[in-house]
Amino acid sequence: MNAETACALTARDYKSDLKPVWCPGCGDFSILMAITMAMADVGRPPEEVAVISGIGCSSRVPAYTSCYGFHGVHGRALPLATGLKLSRPDLLVIAAGGDGDGYSIGGNHFMHACRRNVDLTYIVMDNQVYGMTKGQPSPTTPPEWDSALVPGGTGLSPFHPLVIALAAGANFVARTFSGDAKGTAQTIVEAINHPGFSLIEILSPCVTFRPEEREWAKQVHPASVDATEDRARAARRVLTDDGFNTGILYRGNRAPYQPAFKPDDAAKVDFEAEFLP
Amino acid sequence: MNAAEKPGNRETLLAHAYAIENEAAERYQDLADQMYACNNTEVGDLFAKLAEIEAKHAAELSLEHGAARTPMAAADYAWGNLESPEAIPFGEMHYLIQPHQALTLALAAEERALAFYTDVVNQAPTDDLRNLAEEFVLEEAEHVALVREWLQRYPEPEHDWDTDDDPPVQP
Ligand SMILES: Cc1ncc(C[n+]2csc(CCOP(=O)(O)OP(=O)(O)O)c2C)c(N)n1
Ligand code: SF4
């Protein structure tokens, strides 16, 4: 990090002029703040950062930053981010979105992004519901959650993103809570600085369709143990915790996947030419 | 300086004061924008007014004391990983919030800032630091009084204040 640039940039420099249209009280506001604080701390100027998302309330986040961004197709944040990072390794690439986007329609991409271990940071704003489409259950919704759209609940076991990330090969795994914006910002910084694929699962209340999630503020607690480098131990911990432990769970040491970049690659030059005026 | 330690000299107090006022101004403005986005203009206007007051205070600090020129590392602020005392947490908001509720949240925020400066006065190791902190206590006490006065103009919300005739979740 260039010390002069780092001093000069503040969180405000990473905010766009667009005003978020999230519901007041939504956890995503604090996560946006955490992302901009983390960016200022890392110190890469906005034009060297790309924020890539799919579709959902949470996936609106690229538009609210001043970085380059791409608001892609539902569930496809990770393939877009992967392609970008492989062709432009000089950029800092952040993928972001919701539990529906990342674990449901994007579930397959999620597993393989962990497996490929490209140097990306993936921020999932998990509210255990599809917010944008008005409250359908997502893969992380508890089985007993009863609502007009799922009378009696789904009865289905929730997907366990952290365990799946560990099993599939992610190199950094953490859980934070949106209400702890500064702690979340620090974790994002650590994730960015850690090589390879980093998952940060952020519990982010959807106050409109899951108003009971406002109570998460009282339920979250920092994990009583430090991050481990042992994948199996991390998986055991997270399988047996109450789902509200926060902190960095796992720091691995797999080498990231980054094939050598060949600027004279003919296919790429042809492809780029299609987009140039 | 460890997190949770109160500022112990003039420079660190100024950095804390600037952070408190600046973050409060930004937060009030963000909350005003949230309220405008969901057409709650009455509360939006109140938050916008509070943002203006806090921004003025931050600008004065910067002008009179050069506070903006003494930024510190995030970990060195006395509130550590918590929000600075005068910022209303985002999670407290509701799109149908009424002026009385908004001002109650603002009052709590202003009182937290007042308590912060009062603690600095009580623990100040030098007269110079105590005098400066007392200035901030007086200023913050004015804000508390102002919000209290505004609060009296608005009735407490009815029990069904959050009833929406077009609710997001259909029963
Ligand atoms: C291909 C496709 N299928 C379905 C949808 C409808 N859709 C839009 S957002 C969304 C789910 C959003 O949930 P999540 O990703 O958890 O984000 P949130 O809104 O909760 O932040 C769905 C199913 C879509 N836009 N495109
Ligand atoms: S519907 Fe839920 S997730 Fe979407 S903006 Fe509102 S509170 Fe946030």
Side-chain angles (χ1 to χ4, degrees), chain B residues 88-116:
Chain B
I88 296 178
F90 280 125
E92 301 282 348
M93 285 299 113
H94 188 286
Y95 67 112
L96 295 173
I97 194 172
Q98 299 198 350
H100 194 279
Q101 294 159 300
L103 289 170
T104 303
L105 290 168
L107 181 60
E110 301 295 335
E111 285 177 340
R112 284 194 297 272
L114 178 58
F116 177 85

mmCIF file of all heavy atoms in Angstrom, chain B residues 88-116:
data_model
loop_
_atom_site.group_PDB
_atom_site.id
_atom_site.type_symbol
_atom_site.label_atom_id
_atom_site.label_comp_id
_atom_site.label_asym_id
_atom_site.label_seq_id
_atom_site.Cartn_x
_atom_site.Cartn_y
_atom_site.Cartn_z
ATOM 1 N N ILE B 88 -26.370 7.461 15.111
ATOM 2 C CA ILE B 88 -27.503 6.550 15.342
ATOM 3 C C ILE B 88 -27.237 5.283 14.524
ATOM 4 O O ILE B 88 -26.967 5.369 13.325
ATOM 5 C CB ILE B 88 -28.828 7.194 14.866
ATOM 6 C CG1 ILE B 88 -29.144 8.450 15.682
ATOM 7 C CG2 ILE B 88 -29.983 6.201 14.946
ATOM 8 C CD1 ILE B 88 -30.415 9.173 15.234
ATOM 9 N N PRO B 89 -27.314 4.102 15.136
ATOM 10 C CA PRO B 89 -27.068 2.883 14.342
ATOM 11 C C PRO B 89 -28.091 2.739 13.207
ATOM 12 O O PRO B 89 -29.280 2.990 13.405
ATOM 13 C CB PRO B 89 -27.236 1.752 15.373
ATOM 14 C CG PRO B 89 -27.075 2.398 16.701
ATOM 15 C CD PRO B 89 -27.553 3.814 16.555
ATOM 16 N N PHE B 90 -27.608 2.321 12.026
ATOM 17 C CA PHE B 90 -28.508 2.130 10.882
ATOM 18 C C PHE B 90 -29.659 1.181 11.224
ATOM 19 O O PHE B 90 -30.776 1.338 10.752
ATOM 20 C CB PHE B 90 -27.729 1.523 9.707
ATOM 21 C CG PHE B 90 -26.915 2.509 8.924
ATOM 22 C CD1 PHE B 90 -25.553 2.297 8.736
ATOM 23 C CD2 PHE B 90 -27.505 3.612 8.332
ATOM 24 C CE1 PHE B 90 -24.792 3.183 7.989
ATOM 25 C CE2 PHE B 90 -26.749 4.501 7.575
ATOM 26 C CZ PHE B 90 -25.393 4.287 7.411
ATOM 27 N N GLY B 91 -29.338 0.163 12.028
ATOM 28 C CA GLY B 91 -30.324 -0.868 12.333
ATOM 29 C C GLY B 91 -31.529 -0.380 13.114
ATOM 30 O O GLY B 91 -32.513 -1.093 13.261
ATOM 31 N N GLU B 92 -31.470 0.845 13.639
ATOM 32 C CA GLU B 92 -32.592 1.372 14.436
ATOM 33 C C GLU B 92 -33.714 1.939 13.567
ATOM 34 O O GLU B 92 -34.755 2.334 14.076
ATOM 35 C CB GLU B 92 -32.099 2.516 15.354
ATOM 36 C CG GLU B 92 -31.006 2.137 16.331
ATOM 37 C CD GLU B 92 -31.542 1.381 17.528
ATOM 38 O OE1 GLU B 92 -32.771 1.343 17.707
ATOM 39 O OE2 GLU B 92 -30.704 0.812 18.258
ATOM 40 N N MET B 93 -33.478 2.004 12.276
ATOM 41 C CA MET B 93 -34.450 2.710 11.417
ATOM 42 C C MET B 93 -35.645 1.846 11.020
ATOM 43 O O MET B 93 -35.576 0.629 11.000
ATOM 44 C CB MET B 93 -33.765 3.202 10.138
ATOM 45 C CG MET B 93 -32.887 4.393 10.336
ATOM 46 S SD MET B 93 -33.796 5.815 10.952
ATOM 47 C CE MET B 93 -33.068 5.942 12.559
ATOM 48 N N HIS B 94 -36.734 2.550 10.699
ATOM 49 C CA HIS B 94 -37.943 1.919 10.146
ATOM 50 C C HIS B 94 -38.531 2.929 9.188
ATOM 51 O O HIS B 94 -38.504 4.130 9.470
ATOM 52 C CB HIS B 94 -38.916 1.595 11.280
ATOM 53 C CG HIS B 94 -40.092 0.768 10.844
ATOM 54 N ND1 HIS B 94 -41.126 1.290 10.098
ATOM 55 C CD2 HIS B 94 -40.375 -0.542 11.043
ATOM 56 C CE1 HIS B 94 -42.002 0.314 9.848
ATOM 57 N NE2 HIS B 94 -41.568 -0.796 10.413
ATOM 58 N N TYR B 95 -39.070 2.463 8.075
ATOM 59 C CA TYR B 95 -39.507 3.428 7.053
ATOM 60 C C TYR B 95 -40.699 4.280 7.504
ATOM 61 O O TYR B 95 -40.931 5.350 6.964
ATOM 62 C CB TYR B 95 -39.794 2.728 5.716
ATOM 63 C CG TYR B 95 -40.978 1.790 5.677
ATOM 64 C CD1 TYR B 95 -42.105 2.082 4.929
ATOM 65 C CD2 TYR B 95 -40.963 0.580 6.376
ATOM 66 C CE1 TYR B 95 -43.179 1.205 4.877
ATOM 67 C CE2 TYR B 95 -42.028 -0.289 6.329
ATOM 68 C CZ TYR B 95 -43.135 0.023 5.583
ATOM 69 O OH TYR B 95 -44.195 -0.846 5.540
ATOM 70 N N LEU B 96 -41.460 3.789 8.500
ATOM 71 C CA LEU B 96 -42.626 4.571 8.956
ATOM 72 C C LEU B 96 -42.342 5.328 10.257
ATOM 73 O O LEU B 96 -43.261 5.837 10.891
ATOM 74 C CB LEU B 96 -43.821 3.633 9.166
ATOM 75 C CG LEU B 96 -44.336 2.952 7.891
ATOM 76 C CD1 LEU B 96 -45.404 1.917 8.251
ATOM 77 C CD2 LEU B 96 -44.910 3.969 6.921
ATOM 78 N N ILE B 97 -41.088 5.393 10.621
ATOM 79 C CA ILE B 97 -40.706 6.040 11.886
ATOM 80 C C ILE B 97 -41.295 7.452 11.941
ATOM 81 O O ILE B 97 -41.386 8.152 10.929
ATOM 82 C CB ILE B 97 -39.161 6.063 12.008
ATOM 83 C CG1 ILE B 97 -38.724 6.396 13.411
ATOM 84 C CG2 ILE B 97 -38.550 7.016 11.024
ATOM 85 C CD1 ILE B 97 -37.200 6.232 13.601
ATOM 86 N N GLN B 98 -41.726 7.857 13.135
ATOM 87 C CA GLN B 98 -42.344 9.175 13.280
ATOM 88 C C GLN B 98 -41.360 10.146 13.947
ATOM 89 O O GLN B 98 -40.392 9.722 14.571
ATOM 90 C CB GLN B 98 -43.622 9.034 14.092
ATOM 91 C CG GLN B 98 -44.598 8.123 13.360
ATOM 92 C CD GLN B 98 -46.017 8.271 13.844
ATOM 93 O OE1 GLN B 98 -46.286 8.917 14.853
ATOM 94 N NE2 GLN B 98 -46.925 7.650 13.119
ATOM 95 N N PRO B 99 -41.641 11.469 13.800
ATOM 96 C CA PRO B 99 -40.672 12.449 14.327
ATOM 97 C C PRO B 99 -40.304 12.208 15.786
ATOM 98 O O PRO B 99 -39.129 12.329 16.160
ATOM 99 C CB PRO B 99 -41.409 13.782 14.155
ATOM 100 C CG PRO B 99 -42.298 13.560 12.983
ATOM 101 C CD PRO B 99 -42.743 12.129 13.077
ATOM 102 N N HIS B 100 -41.281 11.853 16.611
ATOM 103 C CA HIS B 100 -40.981 11.662 18.020
ATOM 104 C C HIS B 100 -39.958 10.544 18.205
ATOM 105 O O HIS B 100 -39.006 10.661 19.000
ATOM 106 C CB HIS B 100 -42.272 11.352 18.798
ATOM 107 C CG HIS B 100 -42.112 11.473 20.283
ATOM 108 N ND1 HIS B 100 -41.563 10.462 21.050
ATOM 109 C CD2 HIS B 100 -42.389 12.479 21.135
ATOM 110 C CE1 HIS B 100 -41.533 10.851 22.312
ATOM 111 N NE2 HIS B 100 -42.012 12.077 22.396
ATOM 112 N N GLN B 101 -40.137 9.464 17.451
ATOM 113 C CA GLN B 101 -39.192 8.338 17.581
ATOM 114 C C GLN B 101 -37.813 8.720 17.037
ATOM 115 O O GLN B 101 -36.785 8.363 17.619
ATOM 116 C CB GLN B 101 -39.729 7.129 16.806
ATOM 117 C CG GLN B 101 -40.999 6.568 17.411
ATOM 118 C CD GLN B 101 -41.760 5.759 16.386
ATOM 119 O OE1 GLN B 101 -42.158 6.283 15.349
ATOM 120 N NE2 GLN B 101 -41.964 4.490 16.670
ATOM 121 N N ALA B 102 -37.808 9.437 15.911
ATOM 122 C CA ALA B 102 -36.529 9.837 15.313
ATOM 123 C C ALA B 102 -35.768 10.740 16.282
ATOM 124 O O ALA B 102 -34.550 10.589 16.489
ATOM 125 C CB ALA B 102 -36.778 10.562 13.998
ATOM 126 N N LEU B 103 -36.511 11.670 16.907
ATOM 127 C CA LEU B 103 -35.840 12.605 17.821
ATOM 128 C C LEU B 103 -35.413 11.912 19.113
ATOM 129 O O LEU B 103 -34.425 12.302 19.737
ATOM 130 C CB LEU B 103 -36.760 13.797 18.103
ATOM 131 C CG LEU B 103 -36.919 14.737 16.899
ATOM 132 C CD1 LEU B 103 -38.039 15.762 17.141
ATOM 133 C CD2 LEU B 103 -35.611 15.458 16.575
ATOM 134 N N THR B 104 -36.135 10.868 19.497
ATOM 135 C CA THR B 104 -35.713 10.105 20.678
ATOM 136 C C THR B 104 -34.370 9.430 20.399
ATOM 137 O O THR B 104 -33.474 9.406 21.253
ATOM 138 C CB THR B 104 -36.794 9.066 21.057
ATOM 139 O OG1 THR B 104 -38.017 9.771 21.261
ATOM 140 C CG2 THR B 104 -36.427 8.291 22.310
ATOM 141 N N LEU B 105 -34.231 8.900 19.192
ATOM 142 C CA LEU B 105 -32.939 8.290 18.813
ATOM 143 C C LEU B 105 -31.839 9.352 18.759
ATOM 144 O O LEU B 105 -30.713 9.125 19.202
ATOM 145 C CB LEU B 105 -33.053 7.600 17.445
ATOM 146 C CG LEU B 105 -33.905 6.330 17.398
ATOM 147 C CD1 LEU B 105 -34.168 5.914 15.953
ATOM 148 C CD2 LEU B 105 -33.217 5.197 18.159
ATOM 149 N N ALA B 106 -32.196 10.527 18.211
ATOM 150 C CA ALA B 106 -31.208 11.611 18.112
ATOM 151 C C ALA B 106 -30.805 12.075 19.510
ATOM 152 O O ALA B 106 -29.620 12.334 19.767
ATOM 153 C CB ALA B 106 -31.787 12.776 17.305
ATOM 154 N N LEU B 107 -31.787 12.151 20.407
ATOM 155 C CA LEU B 107 -31.482 12.587 21.773
ATOM 156 C C LEU B 107 -30.493 11.613 22.424
ATOM 157 O O LEU B 107 -29.503 12.036 23.044
ATOM 158 C CB LEU B 107 -32.777 12.672 22.598
ATOM 159 C CG LEU B 107 -32.609 13.128 24.044
ATOM 160 C CD1 LEU B 107 -31.999 14.529 24.112
ATOM 161 C CD2 LEU B 107 -33.954 13.110 24.785
ATOM 162 N N ALA B 108 -30.750 10.327 22.247
ATOM 163 C CA ALA B 108 -29.840 9.329 22.831
ATOM 164 C C ALA B 108 -28.430 9.503 22.257
ATOM 165 O O ALA B 108 -27.436 9.408 22.985
ATOM 166 C CB ALA B 108 -30.357 7.925 22.567
ATOM 167 N N ALA B 109 -28.349 9.786 20.951
ATOM 168 C CA ALA B 109 -27.034 9.953 20.317
ATOM 169 C C ALA B 109 -26.328 11.188 20.881
ATOM 170 O O ALA B 109 -25.137 11.150 21.221
ATOM 171 C CB ALA B 109 -27.198 10.076 18.800
ATOM 172 N N GLU B 110 -27.077 12.292 20.990
ATOM 173 C CA GLU B 110 -26.469 13.528 21.515
ATOM 174 C C GLU B 110 -26.031 13.326 22.968
ATOM 175 O O GLU B 110 -24.994 13.830 23.397
ATOM 176 C CB GLU B 110 -27.462 14.696 21.423
ATOM 177 C CG GLU B 110 -27.970 15.010 20.006
ATOM 178 C CD GLU B 110 -26.881 15.511 19.047
ATOM 179 O OE1 GLU B 110 -25.878 16.066 19.516
ATOM 180 O OE2 GLU B 110 -27.037 15.299 17.826
ATOM 181 N N GLU B 111 -26.844 12.562 23.717
ATOM 182 C CA GLU B 111 -26.485 12.324 25.124
ATOM 183 C C GLU B 111 -25.236 11.449 25.248
ATOM 184 O O GLU B 111 -24.445 11.613 26.177
ATOM 185 C CB GLU B 111 -27.674 11.702 25.877
ATOM 186 C CG GLU B 111 -28.731 12.751 26.168
ATOM 187 C CD GLU B 111 -29.984 12.199 26.860
ATOM 188 O OE1 GLU B 111 -30.217 10.979 26.788
ATOM 189 O OE2 GLU B 111 -30.732 13.002 27.438
ATOM 190 N N ARG B 112 -25.078 10.528 24.301
ATOM 191 C CA ARG B 112 -23.852 9.699 24.333
ATOM 192 C C ARG B 112 -22.623 10.575 24.099
ATOM 193 O O ARG B 112 -21.592 10.399 24.751
ATOM 194 C CB ARG B 112 -23.926 8.587 23.267
ATOM 195 C CG ARG B 112 -24.841 7.425 23.618
ATOM 196 C CD ARG B 112 -24.594 6.235 22.693
ATOM 197 N NE ARG B 112 -24.887 6.526 21.304
ATOM 198 C CZ ARG B 112 -26.075 6.386 20.719
ATOM 199 N NH1 ARG B 112 -27.099 5.940 21.431
ATOM 200 N NH2 ARG B 112 -26.250 6.670 19.445
ATOM 201 N N ALA B 113 -22.762 11.527 23.159
ATOM 202 C CA ALA B 113 -21.623 12.416 22.886
ATOM 203 C C ALA B 113 -21.337 13.281 24.123
ATOM 204 O O ALA B 113 -20.175 13.469 24.514
ATOM 205 C CB ALA B 113 -21.918 13.284 21.672
ATOM 206 N N LEU B 114 -22.410 13.781 24.747
ATOM 207 C CA LEU B 114 -22.243 14.602 25.954
ATOM 208 C C LEU B 114 -21.530 13.790 27.045
ATOM 209 O O LEU B 114 -20.593 14.290 27.699
ATOM 210 C CB LEU B 114 -23.628 15.077 26.441
ATOM 211 C CG LEU B 114 -23.655 15.907 27.715
ATOM 212 C CD1 LEU B 114 -22.813 17.170 27.582
ATOM 213 C CD2 LEU B 114 -25.098 16.292 28.087
ATOM 214 N N ALA B 115 -21.953 12.545 27.211
ATOM 215 C CA ALA B 115 -21.334 11.692 28.246
ATOM 216 C C ALA B 115 -19.845 11.467 27.931
ATOM 217 O O ALA B 115 -19.006 11.451 28.833
ATOM 218 C CB ALA B 115 -22.066 10.355 28.331
ATOM 219 N N PHE B 116 -19.551 11.316 26.649
ATOM 220 C CA PHE B 116 -18.151 11.098 26.248
ATOM 221 C C PHE B 116 -17.291 12.291 26.664
ATOM 222 O O PHE B 116 -16.256 12.141 27.329
ATOM 223 C CB PHE B 116 -18.067 10.882 24.726
ATOM 224 C CG PHE B 116 -16.670 10.725 24.229
ATOM 225 C CD1 PHE B 116 -16.042 9.484 24.261
ATOM 226 C CD2 PHE B 116 -15.950 11.818 23.753
ATOM 227 C CE1 PHE B 116 -14.730 9.339 23.820
ATOM 228 C CE2 PHE B 116 -14.644 11.683 23.311
ATOM 229 C CZ PHE B 116 -14.033 10.441 23.346
#
